[in-house]
Amino acid sequence: MDEVFNGSVTVVGLGYIGLPTAAALAIRGIDVTGVDVNPATVKAINDGRVPFVEPDLAAAVSGAVAMGRLIATDQMTPTDAYIIAVPTPFLDDKSPDLSYIRSAVESIAPMLAGGEVIVLESTSPPGTTRRVSEWLADLRPDLRMPHAADGPADVFIAHCPERVLPGRVMIEIVTNARVIGGVTRQCAQRAASIYRVFSQGELLLSDAASAEMAKLVENAYRDVNIAFANELSLISDELKLDVWEVIRLANHHPRVNILTPGPGVGGHCIAVDPWFIVSAAPSASRLIRTAREVNDGKPAHVAGQVVAKAARFVSPTIACLGLAFKANIDDLRESPAVEVVRSIAMALPDVTILAAEPYASDLPISLADLPNVRFARAEDALDEADIVALLVDHDQFRSLNRSLLNGKVVYDTRGIWR
Ligand code: SAJ
């Protein structure tokens, strides 16, 4: 019989991954302490609220808090297990910044009494879980840390990368298969017992470095496929072809599945994780690097196309629809749409740009300094605009009355109005 964990858990980092994981454990009867450095996040959660938009998460968090199973705090507490879900951004040279993981480990170390399970969920370059074990060995020489050659250990360390899709987190956290890579086999087994509390997906036990790499590979695979689609859109622009029609036809082949071109790849995962592979093996990862460059170049291309269309007008107004990094979410960080708006506004300082985003109530800070960009409702922006650039495929934009586009120059980067 596979063991199911029934101790207490601390989740370090209450963001897009940590909070759903904390809630998923807590509503199934586990006592969970959520630790976060942001006092506003801690307060919101203890009030039963969620500080960002994610379907069904609010109900889970308020239920868990009301049941007394989930408590948020800025102080580390001793528990039977720790799940680290802090960010791993990259530095200016695109190498991974492990400082958040390091400080989580430093705050967990004094709590350990022996017997605890520590799971790293943060996306990490190969070797990070082993480094966690080495850091802990330095910080707690009185405890035996696990080593690849299975031997007795006082603490169990594993990597279980998150794989949920923003917008579908509460479904996928339950249904997705999980890769659980232990520093030793026993570490993987102990970590798996925690995920058995809420996961209905297959639990794939492996070693830590393979689990780390598998996660990076998943996102690099998607990035390369999107880059292929984005490159096809550049080629189609040059050849005066409709890229959507080309891809639609090609995808009818039983073994072809090209993803969708757009204004670029945003978010904190697909646009970041492939760089960890490039950084680990630079000369061997030419395709992965090029895919990143193709996708990173797309916002400038889109902005250039809009600027070229504006040259036909004396004093045009441009509506930019969507600022989020993808459809139907409120996350504007690392968004190619924001980059497009910024580039157009800077190239055309005398032109008014109306930016519409149904999931926001104002411009993000990254656009607020531009005097020629104004926040607007989509319908108002369309009413005033000469040129319409569709940047995000939000459902609200799909269902807009198409007659609002009559007489406008339309640039649909997501192909939803074809
Ligand atoms: N995008 C396109 N064309 C597409 C698909 C996406 O341009 O056909 C763009 C989106 O608009 C967005 C970006 O790519 O700007 C990323 O969006 P996404 O929906 O592909 O992925 P994320 O970043 O929201 O979530 C990904 C997922 N990874 C995979 O599907 C392999 C998710 O399962 C991971 O858990 C997540 O990264 C993560 O946290 O790593």
Side-chain angles (χ1 to χ4, degrees):
M1 180 56 188
D2 289 326
E3 190 196 341
V4 182
F5 187 83
N6 63 6
S8 55
V9 176
T10 294
V11 177
V12 189
L14 296 173
Y16 288 77
I17 301 304
L19 185 54
T21 305
L25 287 164
I27 57 177
R28 288 167 181 84
I30 298 287
D31 283 322
V32 180
T33 308
V35 178
D36 200 282
V37 290
N38 184 340
T41 299
V42 169
K43 177 164 182 354
I45 293 164
N46 287 332
D47 290 347
R49 289 182 291 110
V50 174
F52 50 87
V53 173
E54 179 61 46
D56 302 329
L57 178 59
V61 168
S62 63
V65 170
M67 285 158 67
R69 294 283 183 200
L70 173 61
I71 294 170
T73 168
D74 59 359
Q75 297 298 315
M76 194 62 73
T77 50
T79 45
D80 302 313
Y82 297 85
I83 295 177
I84 301 173
V86 296
T88 35
F90 54 46
L91 300 164
D92 286 346
D93 66 354
K94 310 278 194 219
S95 65
D97 175 1
L98 302 184
S99 58
Y100 296 91
I101 297 179
R102 168 85 205 190
S103 65
V105 167
E106 282 170 359
S107 55
I108 291 168
M111 304 292 127
L112 301 175
E116 291 88 352
V117 185
I118 300 174
V119 183
L120 178 64
E121 276 216 21
S122 310
T123 303
S124 303
T128 310
T129 312
R130 189 176 33 79
R131 283 179 80 183
V132 166
S133 175
E134 288 163 3
W135 288 336
L136 283 169
D138 286 345
L139 293 161
R140 291 297 304 266
D142 54 320
L143 293 173
R144 288 169 303 174
M145 294 302 149
H147 294 286
D150 246 332
D154 297 321
V155 178
F156 304 94
I157 303 173
H159 181 54
C160 180
E162 60 83 11
R163 306 165 105 187
V164 287
L165 194 72
R168 286 178 46 83
V169 169
M170 295 313 282
I171 299 166
E172 292 201 1
I173 204 166
V174 174
T175 58
N176 283 3
R178 298 298 295 240
V179 174
I180 303 174
V183 173
T184 63
R185 184 80 190 162
Q186 202 188 3
C187 292
Q189 284 162 344
R190 289 293 184 95
S193 73
I194 299 176
Y195 292 92
R196 273 190 207 106
V197 171
F198 61 85
S199 178
Q200 292 166 8
E202 200 179 343
L203 303 184
L204 303 157
L205 273 50
S206 184
D207 63 278
S210 298
E212 289 159 343
M213 190 62 177
K215 162 70 196 197
L216 302 178
V217 164
E218 290 161 16
N219 280 353
Y221 168 82
R222 192 161 170 82
D223 197 46
V224 169
N225 195 334
I226 300 169
F228 184 69
N230 276 334
E231 185 161 291
L232 291 180
S233 78
L234 303 182
I235 295 168
S236 300
D237 276 355
E238 206 168 302
L239 302 183
K240 307 269 178 290
L241 289 167
D242 176 352
V243 67
W244 311 100
E245 182 64 1
V246 173
I247 292 176
R248 185 183 75 82
L249 297 174
N251 277 350
H252 273 76
H253 186 287
R255 284 173 296 284
V256 174
N257 183 18
I258 305 167
L259 288 173
T260 318
V265 169
H268 336 288
C269 310
I270 304 232
V272 175
D273 301 352
W275 286 119
F276 294 176
I277 301 178
V278 176
S279 168
S283 56
S285 26
R286 288 184 299 151
L287 176 66
I288 294 171
R289 176 198 297 272
T290 304
R292 274 286 67 245
E293 288 166 356
V294 169
N295 287 335
D296 272 355
K298 199 65 200 299
H301 173 81
V302 168
Q305 299 280 95
V306 176
V307 169
K309 291 182 195 306
R312 289 192 238 151
F313 294 82
V314 180
S315 177
T317 296
I318 302 174
C320 290
L321 298 197
L323 294 172
F325 90 79
K326 68 174 191 176
N328 305 325
I329 62 164
D330 69 338
D331 195 343
L332 272 53
R333 295 171 301 161
E334 331 293 344
S335 169
V338 171
E339 205 179 323
V340 170
V341 173
R342 191 165 179 90
S343 300
I344 301 171
M346 290 179 71
L348 302 172
D350 300 326
V351 166
T352 298
I353 295 158
L354 303 172
E357 173 47 66
Y359 288 90
S361 51
D362 211 341
L363 290 177
I365 289 171
S366 50
L367 295 177
D369 61 319
L370 296 162
N372 55 331
V373 181
R374 256 179 32 221
F375 192 78
R377 282 178 59 242
E379 285 80 358
D380 298 339
L382 289 181
D383 195 36
E384 282 187 50
D386 303 294
I387 300 170
V388 180
L390 185 284
L391 301 176
V392 184
D393 44 339
H394 287 314
D395 288 346
Q396 286 97 325
F397 299 152
R398 285 181 194 274
S399 55
L400 274 175
N401 183 347
R402 298 290 163 85
S403 66
L404 293 169
L405 301 174
N406 288 347
K408 321 272 178 195
V409 172
V410 176
Y411 184 34
D412 175 3
T413 70
R414 300 280 183 171
I416 63 171
W417 291 334
R418 291 181 64 247

